[in-house]
């Protein structure tokens, strides 16, 4: 068995950091009919320029409750693409993080007229929620590609509606070859992302010549998936139609959200030399002398002598402490009421035993009807 080295999260007294790298995606042009119905969309920053000034906020949540205040990226103008390359430090350490901690990241757009979910002149461009610990209770490391849900702010709830990964739907018989091919490309893209992450973490050997071919293939596949025009299936006609035309003529598809624009936010977590495994925070037990009697009584406490314990064969009682490898599977249990008061379970048990015995004696002492008749006959009544 190969040795495995890891560290515990409770011993990591470092602030939580996340790097916001870039935002990739293809935004469809808004149809003229939609602009006529909602002219405020003309003034939204992302609709004016594909490289508009967006900013990102990150906030930690756990059990559907916020753990920290949100932190945001600095103002930055973009020329060719939305790339921040900025580290954000959250005001909390890894040592106090619960297992359910997750990072809610929201990309904010600017609009002078506001809108649904707006905060002053900022409206959500999209949001994503990523847990800090994976399914193996190990801290996330390295680069992550998060799916951005358009026009939604990251909720950070336990049952989040903005997950960072959306698994492809299963193939349906009436979906046609277009949807099947799209799902296959998404699966292949996710598989390549996992391999590239392992390559960055040096978990698989590097081959410069072959790696360049994989990088080129990954870039082409990503561009084709992002720029693929969304398509949806109609249950009435059974034909594939353009999602944009469906939005214009008002004919809804079979599933909502299939025609959503695909945007991915690339972030990066710190890399550590060893995997960080989640561990609960252990607190030392309070001393027995700090126990207060009910009612504030300051009576003198008389400690009972420790009970006599006979150890079985093979148990090393001279070990330095409990839990030693030579001492056997012993567990130390702390009881704050030891030596201060009687055990209520023992008192109740003794009372029940005494009551049971006294009831049996009283029942045996009382004569029944036959014995009562015999006593009357013998006494002459």
């Amino acid at each position: 068995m190969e040795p495995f080295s890891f560290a515990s999260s409770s011993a990591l007294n470092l602030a939580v950091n996340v790097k916001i790298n870039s935002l990739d995606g293809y935004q469809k042009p808004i149809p003229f009919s939609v602009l006529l119905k909602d002219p405020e969309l003309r003034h939204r920053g992302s609709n004016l320029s594909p490289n508009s000034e967006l900013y990102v906020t990150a906030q930690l949540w756990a059990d559907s409750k916020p753990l920290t205040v949100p932190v945001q990226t600095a103002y930055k103008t973009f020329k060719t693409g939305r790339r921040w390359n900025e580290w954000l430090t959250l005001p909390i350490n890894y040592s106090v993080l619960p297992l359910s901690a997750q990072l809610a990241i929201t990309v904010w757009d600017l609009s002078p007229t506001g809108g649904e979910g707006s905060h002053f002149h900022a409206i959500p461009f999209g949001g994503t929620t990523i847990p800090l610990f994976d399914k193996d209770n190990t801290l996330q490391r390295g680069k992550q590609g998060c799916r951005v849900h358009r026009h939604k702010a990251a909720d950070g709830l336990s049952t989040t509606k903005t997950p960072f990964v959306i698994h492809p739907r299963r193939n349906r018989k009436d979906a046609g070859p277009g949807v099947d091919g799209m799902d296959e490309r998404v699966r292949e893209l996710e598989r390549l992302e996992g391999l590239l992450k392992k390559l960055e973490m040096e978990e698989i050997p590097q081959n410069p010549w072959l790696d360049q071919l994989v990088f080129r293939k990954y870039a082409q596949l990503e561009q084709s998936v992002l720029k693929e025009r969304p398509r949806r299936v109609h249950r009435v006609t059974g034909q594939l139609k353009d999602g944009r035309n469906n939005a214009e003529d008002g004919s809804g598809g079979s599933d909502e959200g299939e025609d959503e624009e695909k945007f991915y936010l690339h972030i990066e977590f710190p890399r550590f030399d060893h995997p960080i495994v989640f561990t609960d925070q252990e607190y030392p037990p309070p001393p027995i002398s700090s126990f207060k009697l009910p009612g504030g009584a300051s009576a003198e406490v008389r400690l009972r002598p420790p009970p006599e314990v006979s150890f079985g064969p093979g148990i090393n009682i001279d070990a330095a402490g409990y839990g030693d490898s030579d001492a056997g599977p012993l567990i130390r249990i702390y009881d704050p009421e030891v030596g201060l008061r009687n055990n209520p379970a023992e008192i109740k048990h003794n009372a029940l035993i005494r009551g049971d015995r006294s009831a049996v004696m009283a029942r045996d002492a009382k004569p029944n009807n036959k014995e009562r008749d015999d006593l009357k006959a013998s006494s002459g009544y």
Side-chain angles (χ1 to χ4, degrees):
M1 182 176 180
E2 298 182 359
F4 180 75
S5 301
F6 66 95
S8 59
S9 61
S10 59
L12 191 60
N13 295 321
L14 297 174
V16 178
N17 290 271
V18 59
K19 184 179 181 181
I20 309 298
N21 287 332
S22 61
L23 178 68
D24 294 337
Y26 176 73
Q27 186 172 356
K28 300 180 300 181
I30 302 178
F32 186 71
S33 58
V34 177
L35 292 178
L36 291 178
K37 296 179 181 179
D38 193 0
E40 296 179 355
L41 297 177
R42 300 175 181 269
H43 309 288
R44 190 169 297 182
S46 59
N47 297 333
L48 297 176
S49 172
N51 300 322
S52 60
E53 293 82 359
L54 306 178
Y55 69 94
V56 182
T57 60
Q59 186 178 15
L60 270 178
W61 289 66
D63 299 327
S64 303
K65 297 180 181 179
L67 292 181
T68 63
V69 296
V71 295
Q72 72 176 49
T73 57
Y75 174 79
K76 189 174 183 180
T77 57
F78 307 104
K79 297 181 179 179
T80 58
R82 298 186 175 106
R83 302 184 183 276
W84 290 271
N85 295 328
E86 180 180 350
W87 282 95
L88 297 179
T89 302
L90 289 93
I92 191 172
N93 291 342
Y94 289 102
S95 57
V96 297
L97 286 179
L99 183 59
S100 59
Q102 50 187 2
L103 191 64
I105 305 175
T106 304
V107 183
W108 294 92
D109 197 358
L110 300 178
S111 175
T113 59
E116 183 180 358
S118 63
H119 181 68
F120 296 103
H121 292 296
I123 57 176
F125 179 85
T128 182
T129 303
I130 177 173
L132 292 186
F133 295 93
D134 57 11
K135 60 181 180 180
D136 297 328
N137 298 343
T138 305
L139 191 67
Q140 301 271 17
R141 298 183 300 169
K143 295 182 179 181
Q144 308 287 336
C146 304
R147 175 70 178 271
V148 176
H149 298 262
R150 290 285 280 122
H151 310 296
K152 295 180 181 179
D155 49 19
L157 304 178
S158 299
T159 56
T160 178
K161 295 183 180 180
T162 57
F164 78 107
V165 172
I166 299 180
H167 297 286
R169 301 179 184 269
R170 294 183 178 180
N171 298 336
R172 295 176 298 183
K173 295 182 180 180
D174 58 344
V179 177
D180 185 22
M182 184 64 181
D183 290 344
E184 291 296 333
R185 280 182 290 175
V186 173
R187 294 192 189 95
E188 181 67 14
L189 184 63
E190 292 182 354
R191 188 183 70 87
L192 291 178
E193 286 180 354
L195 294 177
L196 291 178
K197 188 183 301 183
K198 290 183 179 180
L199 181 64
E200 293 177 357
M201 302 300 296
E202 298 181 357
E203 296 180 1
I204 56 179
Q206 297 183 2
N207 189 332
W209 175 78
L210 187 59
D211 293 344
Q212 292 295 330
L213 297 179
V214 176
F215 293 154
R216 190 178 308 168
K217 177 65 177 178
Y218 174 78
Q220 296 175 357
L221 185 61
E222 184 181 18
Q223 291 296 328
S224 64
V225 170
L226 293 178
K227 292 187 177 182
E228 177 72 16
R229 176 169 294 180
R231 308 173 76 88
R232 55 169 59 176
V233 181
H234 287 268
R235 293 183 179 179
V236 179
T237 60
Q239 298 177 356
L240 289 171
K241 291 186 178 181
D242 191 307
R244 185 179 61 182
N245 297 333
N246 295 336
E248 294 179 5
D249 58 16
S251 59
S254 59
D255 296 316
E256 295 181 2
E258 286 191 22
D259 59 345
E260 186 185 39
E261 297 170 341
K262 293 181 176 62
F263 278 86
Y264 288 89
L265 180 65
H266 299 280
I267 63 176
E268 183 177 354
F269 289 112
R271 295 182 175 89
F272 299 97
D273 296 336
H274 303 288
I276 309 299
V277 180
F278 172 78
T279 52
D280 286 327
Q281 184 72 25
E282 297 183 1
Y283 298 94
I288 297 179
S289 58
S290 64
F291 184 84
K292 296 183 181 180
L293 295 175
S298 60
E300 181 181 358
V301 178
R302 298 181 180 179
L303 299 178
R304 293 183 176 183
E308 297 181 0
V309 180
S310 357
F311 294 93
I315 299 180
N316 184 14
I317 62 176
D318 299 329
Y322 295 99
D324 189 80
S325 58
D326 300 331
L330 300 180
I331 301 176
R332 182 187 303 176
I333 300 177
Y334 174 75
D335 187 1
E337 298 181 355
V338 171
L340 296 179
R341 60 173 62 181
N342 296 328
N343 191 343
E346 294 181 358
I347 296 175
K348 184 65 176 178
H349 177 72
N350 295 332
L352 291 175
I353 293 298
R354 287 195 300 268
D356 190 13
R357 291 176 180 175
S358 61
V360 173
M361 293 176 62
R363 185 172 61 254
D364 294 341
K366 184 178 180 180
N368 52 22
N369 294 333
K370 183 178 180 181
E371 293 176 352
R372 189 181 297 107
D373 295 340
D374 294 343
L375 290 174
K376 289 181 179 181
S378 62
S379 60
Y381 289 98

